[in-house]
């Protein structure tokens, strides 16, 4: 018979535990005994898992006290906005305003437009001659971000959007993002100014971004809303174009 697990050197035991899926480490292994609990709650095991999976970097070095949360947040990192580029028509988007001729989806580059900086983006949403707005609400718990993580670690919530005008028409653009509690109270909010794209612009795509941090307790939902219109009031779809919206949670 080989040696019992508890007789193994701690460094060897950490290497064995590091081969186990992270969720099982937290939900099962830390309940086995006090030694395993201390190892799962300590930094060394998660430093090793991060190194094994290529998750180490400057961000991790700055937050060495909480490698477990760094690991989970890094593994979960993804765009929480669904259908950000209109590939599934208007699925997952709720229309807040549908002025003029309403929202429309067009293929890049579009009339009097330019290609998007990323070859992965093929479509965009375009507004009309009165205000068009659409929104999407992200349920953070449903996406795997539990309450203690949101309240204690308060990971950065990074919001990005891209907008452009036609080169033959001016337009307006706005972005508003709210962090909401269970009862839909506003915990934190970002609202851009009303951005005016002049007529005879170069039709380049522009990124707008905002990072929420240290936002306080109780955040359970993210409400993302954007929109705009043209400034010439031409019938059709000459207003601002938007695509590649994103919301990510980061260490």
């Amino acid at each position: 018979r080989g040696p019992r697990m508890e007789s193994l050197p701690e460094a060897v035991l950490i290497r064995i535990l590091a081969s186990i899926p992270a969720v099982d480490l937290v939900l099962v292994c830390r309940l086995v005994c006090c030694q395993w609990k201390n190892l799962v709650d300590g930094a060394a095991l998660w430093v090793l898992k991060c190194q094994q999976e290529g998750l180490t970097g400057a961000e991790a070095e700055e937050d060495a006290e909480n490698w477990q949360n760094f690991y989970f947040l890094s593994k979960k990192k993804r765009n929480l906005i669904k259908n950000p580029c209109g590939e599934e028509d208007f699925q997952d988007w709720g229309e807040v305003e549908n002025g003029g001729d309403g929202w429309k989806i067009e293929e890049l580059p579009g009339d009097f437009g330019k290609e998007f900086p990323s070859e992965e983006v093929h479509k965009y949403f375009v507004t009309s001659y009165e205000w068009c707005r659409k929104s999407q609400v992200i349920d953070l718990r449903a996406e795997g971000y539990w309450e203690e993580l949101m309240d204690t670690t308060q990971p950065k919530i990074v919001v990005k959007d891209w907008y452009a005008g036609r080169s033959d028409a001016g337009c307006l653009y706005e972005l508003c993002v709210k962090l909401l509690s269970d009862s839909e109270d506003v915990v934190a909010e970002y609202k851009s100014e009303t951005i005016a794209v002049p007529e005879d612009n170069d039709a380049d795509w522009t990124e707008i971004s905002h990072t929420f941090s240290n936002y306080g307790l109780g955040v359970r939902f993210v409400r993302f809303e954007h929109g705009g219109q043209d400034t010439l009031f031409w019938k059709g779809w000459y207003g601002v174009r938007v695509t590649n919206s994103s919301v990510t949670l980061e260490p």
Side-chain angles (χ1 to χ4, degrees):
R1 295 172 58 184
R4 296 170 63 87
M5 287 285 283
E6 59 265 28
S7 69
L8 293 174
E10 188 171 280
V12 175
L13 185 53
I14 285 175
R15 288 200 167 273
I16 293 172
L17 291 174
S19 66
I20 296 172
V23 172
D24 292 332
L25 286 173
V26 174
L27 297 182
V28 180
C29 294
R30 73 186 301 273
L31 304 180
V32 170
C33 63
C34 289
Q35 182 191 23
W36 286 30
K37 178 181 183 298
N38 290 336
L39 291 178
V40 173
D41 291 344
L45 172 60
W46 298 100
V47 169
L48 180 57
K49 283 191 75 66
C50 286
Q51 290 172 342
Q52 289 175 341
E53 299 183 37
L55 301 179
T56 54
E59 293 167 321
E61 298 295 338
E62 293 172 6
D63 192 24
E65 293 182 0
N66 207 338
W67 282 83
Q68 184 181 134
N69 282 343
F70 175 85
Y71 176 88
F72 278 108
L73 286 168
S74 297
K75 294 292 285 185
K76 284 180 176 292
K77 183 179 174 182
R78 65 197 187 282
N79 186 5
L80 300 178
I81 292 284
K82 297 177 174 61
N83 187 26
C85 305
E87 293 292 346
E88 289 84 42
D89 199 41
F90 289 96
Q91 183 176 321
D92 298 305
W93 291 98
E95 292 177 352
V96 180
E97 280 188 70
N98 209 22
D101 289 319
W103 285 96
K104 185 183 179 185
I105 296 170
E106 295 180 345
E107 297 273 351
L108 280 158
D111 293 339
F112 295 90
K114 286 188 177 177
E115 292 287 357
F116 192 77
S118 169
E119 294 181 356
E120 297 176 357
V121 178
H122 306 289
K123 295 183 179 181
Y124 59 84
F125 302 92
V126 59
T127 60
S128 190
Y129 58 86
E130 291 179 352
W131 272 98
C132 298
R133 305 178 198 268
K134 60 184 177 68
S135 67
Q136 193 168 138
V137 177
I138 298 164
D139 182 338
L140 294 172
R141 279 174 299 201
E143 297 292 344
Y145 297 95
W146 57 97
E147 295 180 2
E148 183 182 0
L149 178 72
M150 295 305 303
D151 290 344
T152 304
T153 302
Q154 294 185 29
K156 299 173 191 172
I157 301 176
V158 181
V159 179
K160 297 181 180 181
D161 200 20
W162 289 81
Y163 67 90
R166 295 169 54 116
S167 61
D168 63 341
C171 60
L172 303 175
Y173 166 83
E174 286 183 0
L175 171 65
C176 180
V177 183
K178 297 178 181 180
L179 308 186
L180 305 176
S181 69
D182 255 335
S183 56
E184 299 188 6
D185 295 324
V186 178
V187 179
E189 178 178 7
Y190 167 75
K191 192 175 191 306
S192 74
E193 60 182 350
T194 301
I195 298 172
V197 179
E199 194 176 348
D200 300 322
N201 67 88
D202 55 14
D204 283 337
W205 286 93
T206 300
E207 183 184 52
I208 182 172
S209 66
H210 177 76
T211 299
F212 292 95
S213 58
N214 300 317
Y215 37 76
L217 305 178
V219 173
R220 302 293 179 261
F221 301 92
V222 179
R223 186 179 189 278
F224 180 102
E225 178 182 315
H226 62 180
Q229 67 172 91
D230 76 38
T231 53
L232 299 175
F233 302 97
W234 287 347
K235 183 172 177 58
W237 296 274
Y238 293 84
V240 72
R241 300 166 170 184
V242 294
T243 195
N244 206 37
S245 311
S246 66
V247 173
T248 57
L249 270 64
E250 302 182 4

